């Protein structure tokens, strides 16, 4: 078994996700369906609306 500690950020369109602005809920949902992943824990440091312009 391995344990990975991850640091970073996710910019997401809440209208496109099942769990809307609950990105941790979305990640939990996705990881639950991955075979071999047995345990995880995430917590919010920040979850705010931002202006984002997607570049071509």
């Amino acid at each position: 078994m391995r344990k990975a500690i991850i640091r970073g950020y996710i910019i997401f369109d809440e209208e496109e996700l099942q769990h809307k602005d609950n990105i941790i809920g979305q990640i939990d949902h996705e990881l639950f369906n991955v075979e071999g992943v047995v345990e995880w824990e995430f917590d919010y440091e920040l979850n705010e609306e931002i202006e984002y312009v997607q570049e071509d």
Side-chain angles (χ1 to χ4, degrees), residues 4-12 23-24 27 42-47:
I5 297 176
I6 301 167
R7 184 181 2 215
Y9 65 89
I10 301 171
I11 297 175
F12 62 97
I23 192 63
I24 291 177
I27 293 169
F42 294 104
D43 198 5
Y44 287 110
E45 185 171 310
L46 177 71
N47 184 5

Side-chain angles (χ1 to χ4, degrees), residues 10-14 17 19-30 42 44 46-47:
I10 301 171
I11 297 175
F12 62 97
D13 182 351
E14 63 191 85
L17 301 179
H19 294 270
K20 302 299 180 195
D21 68 343
N22 180 3
I23 192 63
I24 291 177
Q26 187 71 43
I27 293 169
D28 285 347
H29 177 91
E30 301 300 331
F42 294 104
Y44 287 110
L46 177 71
N47 184 5

